[in-house]
Amino acid sequence: MGTDPPGVGLSLFGDEARAPVMGWGRRPPHLWIMAIAMRFRNPVISGFYPDPSVCRVGGDFYLVTSTFEYFPGVPIFHSRDLVHWRQLGHCLSRKSQLELRGCPTSKGIYAPTLRYHDGVFYMITTHMGRGYGAHFYVTAADPSGPWSEPVWVEQYGIDPSLFFDDDGRVYFTTNGKADAPNGLGIYQSEIDVKSGRKLTAIQFLWAGTGGMAPEGPHLYKVNGSYYLLISEGGTSYGHMVTVARSQSPWGPFEPAPNNPILSHRSLGSPIHATGHADWVELEDGSFWAVFLGIRPVSVAGAGAHHLGRETFLGPVTWGADGWPSVNSGEPISFEMEGPSCLQTELEGPSPSVLRDPFDTSELALVWNFVRDPEDTRYSLAERPSHLRLWGNADSLSEPAPAFIGQRQRHLNSQFSAKLDFEPTQEAEEAGITVRMSEAHHYEVAVMRSAGEKRLVVRKVVGSLRVIAVDLAVPAGPLLLKLRSNPTHYFIEAMPAQSGSTDTPLFSVAAETRFLSSEIAGTFTGVYLGLYATGNGRPAKSPADFDWAEYVGDSAAT
């Protein structure tokens, strides 16, 4: 527990050229030519990137994940080998596409599905901020965007998916809650994909194998048979993937005799909760699945994960009877043999460094807001080569703070920023934070208290609120740091003019497990962020961040 293999080749600043979109090719699984010679590391996208969905266009792969209450919504990635992923942008980047005001924690955007048909990309998802059944899709000719305005489709449940059949029919598949007509299970209708209008009544397809929460449905056609892939057991330690098939998209669906085809239930693996899978066929005829998993950290025999659910990769193998399994039924490992298209051999651990000098006109793709962003809260222009935040009335314990953050993507990491902030109004505050939710966060901040500029370290865990450090500091910028290992954060600060090897003013330890999903009750993962607040009223003093830097893996000190 606590092993930290790095994500492989992930680029989040989006500064590379995108490979061209190419034509579609297919081969049946019995014509596989397995030419696997190189190895890769899981997770292929580390940190809070859950519910992956993938599609292929020629030799290019595209992938999306859930984002819940964060904006922009639904990052979209590109790869040539299913292992090395580069973010292209977001499918939901405008307020007209995604309204998150008042959205509860761990609601918002659930389980997107990405599909490509006839020159168009389709991303379909559920907006749980609006409740069960609030499904919509957006489209784009170029996955980098722009993406269209939403087309809404009303149907039970969550986790919508689209399937484009050979005859031109388009099927819309979701799960249904216990109050759906046939209870828990998978439901489907045929739609007009241009308008979202239903062409048939909603029909019940399959209840799964008896596990709780049958969800995440995807329909495929392989060698003339229809395969319905779902997840069961709840998106936690009992998670599993099951499959059924039929000669018709409407069923009846026969469950596979080898179900579940993927699960890490009751295994001694450091990877848990594997599920919510989507598979894709490669040009060589092989099949591969992306799915979520977690890496719990064990403390005193109890596991807890704080990075969130991450994106893993494994091969789909087919039996002579036509039934699939993931990795031939064997557990998923951190190191595995990759697909034949894998372009780079497995290398030793290497640092992942993202330093943002804030010298561009737009924020890099790595940064997100909590719920709806307000343009008045931040600026990249008011002070050149700085990110300026204007604190609003909301603190980090409230729904809409002036916050800009990025996912923590490695168990061993360091997040630091140079802050120039001279508060003039009582209770004004700015700093850096590690955030799981409004009720679970740690921060180191500059604030004005009793007429003085002070430096504080705060820990908020549920109803508990502790000030671990409170000391007066002179005028001038400060260097703020959040270092982490699998079990602890170390919260530090020093005058910005000091050298990087100087001893910090303090180093406060805080447990990672108190920001875990098991304790916070969230579906998300931790964010490392920059923030400002007036703590009850708008701030009068700007908080200027000269730069921010994330370092992951063995390079973290």
Side-chain angles (χ1 to χ4, degrees), residues 77 115 206 250 305 327 377 482 494:
F77 297 91
R115 292 294 181 257
W206 187 39
W250 298 110
H305 71 287
N327 200 34
R377 296 180 197 166
L482 287 165
M494 66 181 67

Side-chain angles (χ1 to χ4, degrees), residues 76 189 273 326 340 456 481:
I76 181 162
S189 61
V326 178
S340 60
V456 299
K481 288 185 179 182

Side-chain angles (χ1 to χ4, degrees), residues 288-476:
W288 285 76
V290 295
F291 47 91
L292 64 80
I294 62 174
R295 292 182 283 162
V297 175
S298 182
V299 177
H305 71 287
H306 57 285
L307 296 191
R309 297 168 298 159
E310 307 176 279
T311 292
F312 287 74
L313 176 69
V316 177
T317 51
W318 294 81
D321 56 1
W323 287 111
S325 63
V326 178
N327 200 34
S328 301
E330 296 298 315
I332 299 300
S333 301
F334 284 134
E335 294 189 8
M336 300 181 65
E337 290 187 343
S340 60
C341 57
L342 182 57
Q343 297 180 348
T344 303
E345 176 61 282
L346 176 68
E347 300 172 351
S350 60
S352 173
V353 180
L354 292 175
R355 184 180 178 92
D356 194 340
F358 300 121
D359 58 359
T360 57
S361 60
E362 295 183 353
L363 285 169
L365 295 175
V366 68
W367 299 107
N368 293 152
F369 302 90
V370 179
R371 302 181 179 86
D372 291 339
E374 292 293 340
D375 295 342
T376 57
R377 296 180 197 166
Y378 78 97
S379 173
L380 289 165
E382 288 182 14
R383 184 175 176 182
S385 297
H386 286 75
L387 171 65
R388 172 164 286 185
L389 292 183
W390 288 96
N392 61 339
D394 280 13
S395 71
L396 289 173
S397 296
E398 294 169 296
F403 167 93
I404 295 175
Q406 59 179 277
R407 296 161 176 85
Q408 182 181 335
R409 299 179 295 282
H410 306 88
L411 292 170
N412 297 282
S413 71
Q414 178 176 286
F415 180 69
S416 55
K418 181 180 177 181
L419 170 64
D420 188 0
F421 179 53
E422 302 298 334
T424 58
Q425 178 176 273
E426 190 71 9
E428 285 184 333
E429 176 183 328
I432 67 173
T433 181
V434 52
R435 177 193 190 273
M436 174 58 93
S437 68
E438 289 82 10
H440 294 81
H441 50 89
Y442 306 142
E443 54 264 8
V444 54
V446 174
M447 70 179 304
R448 189 167 183 85
S449 177
E452 288 187 300
K453 177 181 178 181
R454 304 191 69 83
L455 186 60
V456 299
V457 172
R458 184 186 300 112
K459 303 178 186 180
V460 177
V461 179
S463 61
L464 302 177
R465 182 184 179 95
V466 174
I467 301 296
V469 171
D470 184 355
L471 56 88
V473 289

Side-chain angles (χ1 to χ4, degrees), residues 84-103:
H84 301 88
W85 293 95
R86 179 179 60 85
Q87 188 174 348
L88 300 176
H90 293 86
C91 297
L92 306 175
S93 59
R94 303 185 301 276
K95 293 182 185 179
S96 60
Q97 297 170 308
L98 179 58
E99 170 65 55
L100 291 169
R101 189 179 303 276
C103 176

